[in-house]
Amino acid sequence: MTDQGYGGRAGGHGGAPQPNPYAQGGGPYGQGAPNPYGQGGGPYAQGAPNPYGQSDPYAQGAPNPYGQPYQAPAPYQAPASYPANPYAQPLPPQPVPSQPAPVAQPVPAYQPAPAPQRPAPGGAGGPLGGRPGPAPRRNPVAVLLQFTLQWIYAPLWIAALVALFALLLWSGSSGPSGPSSDAWLKVNRTFIPPRRLKAELTGRPEDWERYVTPIVERRIRDAERRHAFGDGAVEEDFSRVMHVKLALRLYRGLGAAGVVRIAERYGWQGGASDEGRVRLRRVFPAPAPVAAPGPLDPPAAPGTPWGPQPSRPALLLPFILVLQIAYVPLCGVFSLLLFWGRHAQPDYWDRWGARWAVGPRAFWAELTGSSAAWERHIRRILKPGRGAPAKKADEPGVPSPVVRAVVPARTRVNLATYRGAGAQEVLRIAAEQGWVLDPAYTPEPEACVRLYKPHRAA
């Protein structure tokens, strides 16, 4: 068996090396074999003719027909400046303002920020528009205790006051000096009415409003009635301002804003209020002018409002002069205890005295009925310098003398002064001193004559 694998034949291990068919000249393109492309070894061999000719576009060194060789861009050059404007005028030199040297500011010392404070319910900008709000509710046990004991100490307190006044009246002594305040005379300040007991115990605003509404309405009606009788503070335009005050005990659970809201239903407004009371105010315009006789007009007939009034009987006048020393103080004490010293008419006692009393200086004029005696009595009352003094500039609500250059002077002459002469006689004598009928009041010649005279303040 012939060994064909290893060394037995050509190509095996140990056999003679076989010639490379692709060696030089071997194979179909080897040496000695005919080359179908010629000696050059192909159509593109060295020396073979180029089918595209010698101008081969890709030949080495031939020019590129598709562009120029790459060149780097030239550096940027700024354009030349524009030529000078032949019509331009040279600008004048502008002055340069001098700058002040900076001043060194002192460094402020460190101050800690204030602690935030909770605004009060009635403070400025608060929900109540700057008015005190409801006060703290009282202890219900203390309220019930006070309501129970007041029925015992209130009658004893009143009895003690009556005894004190009687002692001072009959002894003629001024008595022991008491406190400057008159709170010890007013028992009602410590008295809780049954209508207020529910509001004090519950503390609800609606209960307080039901209690205080009738009080506000009653006091407003009383103030308007007093205005009709000539009460009120006179302003520069002859209007009059009326005021009403309510203590804190009357509206504790409602607040000042609630009281003002109730007063606005009746045309009133809120005034300056504090923590202890609320103030209400209303401005009444000047009354319409009323026809009145002038000082130089013919005298009014007796019995007419501006004429002489009938005098009391001459035989009755001495008894009135003697007895009035006793019954006038008794009537005053009785009125103080019954009406607490207040009446709807601010001039109640003047009107009462004109009917039931007689002045010692007017006694002779009324007894004789002489016109000369009445004239002397009127001139004695209207002496120079009479009138309301000007308010000081430092009083609240009064402007300085620079702003208020003219301060009016006002006075009042009661019926007891001119009964037998007539109100027109008062106008005639007062005109000699510059007095005129006061335009801020409606004339009431059957009760009094109000006079007005402007004068300059010092």
Side-chain angles (χ1 to χ4, degrees):
M1 183 176 179
T2 305
D3 187 5
Q4 298 179 1
Y6 299 92
R9 294 185 62 181
H13 295 282
Q18 297 295 326
N20 186 1
Y22 300 100
Q24 184 178 8
Y29 304 101
Q31 185 177 5
N35 190 348
Y37 298 100
Q39 188 175 0
Y44 302 102
Q46 185 177 7
N50 190 348
Y52 297 97
Q54 295 184 359
S55 60
D56 184 4
Y58 302 102
Q60 185 176 5
N64 188 357
Y66 296 100
Q68 298 296 329
Y70 173 78
Q71 297 180 1
Y76 172 79
Q77 296 181 0
S81 60
Y82 293 98
N85 187 2
Y87 300 100
Q89 299 294 332
L91 295 176
Q94 300 294 332
V96 179
S98 59
Q99 298 294 336
V103 180
Q105 299 292 338
V107 179
Y110 171 75
Q111 296 181 357
Q117 298 181 357
R118 180 179 300 177
L128 301 180
R131 305 188 186 280
R137 178 185 173 187
R138 295 182 59 190
N139 189 351
V141 177
V143 172
L144 289 175
L145 185 61
Q146 179 181 354
F147 180 79
T148 304
L149 297 179
Q150 69 185 3
W151 305 102
I152 302 175
Y153 69 76
L156 297 178
W157 193 342
I158 296 176
L161 291 179
V162 173
L164 178 62
F165 277 110
L167 180 63
L168 296 178
L169 178 64
W170 296 106
S171 64
S173 174
S174 59
S177 59
S180 57
S181 175
D182 60 347
W184 62 280
L185 294 174
K186 300 180 179 180
V187 189
N188 59 327
R189 293 186 178 182
T190 61
F191 193 83
I192 300 179
R195 295 176 301 171
R196 199 172 80 204
L197 180 61
K198 180 181 178 181
E200 290 278 5
L201 294 177
T202 61
R204 293 195 297 261
E206 54 270 18
D207 295 338
W208 279 101
E209 184 171 357
R210 281 193 296 268
Y211 166 72
V212 75
T213 298
I215 299 177
V216 175
E217 181 181 359
R218 182 174 62 253
R219 296 197 178 186
I220 285 178
R221 287 200 307 264
D222 179 68
E224 293 176 352
R225 190 182 303 112
R226 288 187 288 108
H227 168 265
F229 285 101
D231 197 5
V234 183
E235 299 294 324
E236 293 291 340
D237 56 351
F238 302 110
S239 61
R240 282 183 287 161
V241 184
M242 296 297 300
H243 297 272
V244 169
K245 296 186 297 183
L246 275 82
L248 178 63
R249 66 179 185 277
L250 302 177
Y251 63 93
R252 177 183 300 275
L254 185 61
V259 177
V260 173
R261 184 177 64 252
I262 297 174
E264 289 176 351
R265 304 172 190 171
Y266 303 93
W268 286 62
Q269 300 175 351
S273 303
D274 50 26
E275 297 180 357
R277 62 181 58 86
V278 60
R279 294 178 176 87
L280 307 175
R281 67 189 302 268
R282 181 178 178 181
V283 180
F284 292 87
V290 178
L296 302 180
D297 292 346
T304 59
W306 294 96
Q309 301 299 318
S311 299
R312 288 166 290 189
L315 296 178
L316 188 60
L317 288 178
F319 293 97
I320 295 177
L321 181 62
V322 174
L323 294 178
Q324 71 184 10
I325 300 176
Y327 70 76
V328 169
L330 290 177
C331 291
V333 173
F334 178 77
S335 177
L336 178 64
L337 297 178
L338 185 61
F339 303 104
W340 299 102
R342 297 191 61 182
H343 298 272
Q345 300 178 356
D347 56 349
Y348 172 80
W349 289 109
D350 294 333
R351 297 172 184 263
W352 185 88
R355 293 192 304 266
W356 303 103
V358 57
R361 294 182 296 180
F363 175 78
W364 182 254
E366 189 172 358
L367 181 64
T368 60
S370 171
S371 300
W374 280 111
E375 181 178 354
R376 286 193 303 269
H377 180 56
I378 294 175
R379 290 185 180 276
R380 185 166 54 243
I381 297 301
L382 288 177
K383 57 185 177 181
R386 178 185 175 91
K391 295 182 179 180
K392 298 180 181 180
D394 55 355
E395 292 182 2
V398 179
S400 61
V402 178
V403 178
R404 187 178 181 181
V406 178
V407 179
R410 288 180 166 87
T411 187
R412 167 180 170 150
V413 182
N414 297 323
L415 176 63
T417 304
Y418 60 88
R419 183 190 302 271
Q424 186 179 1
E425 183 68 13
V426 177
L427 296 180
R428 185 185 66 83
I429 298 175
E432 299 176 0
Q433 303 179 16
W435 294 94
V436 295
L437 199 61
D438 197 341
Y441 302 90
T442 302
E444 294 181 281
E446 65 279 1
C448 64
V449 175
R450 292 182 173 90
L451 302 175
Y452 163 81
K453 178 175 64 174
H455 66 86
R456 296 195 174 277

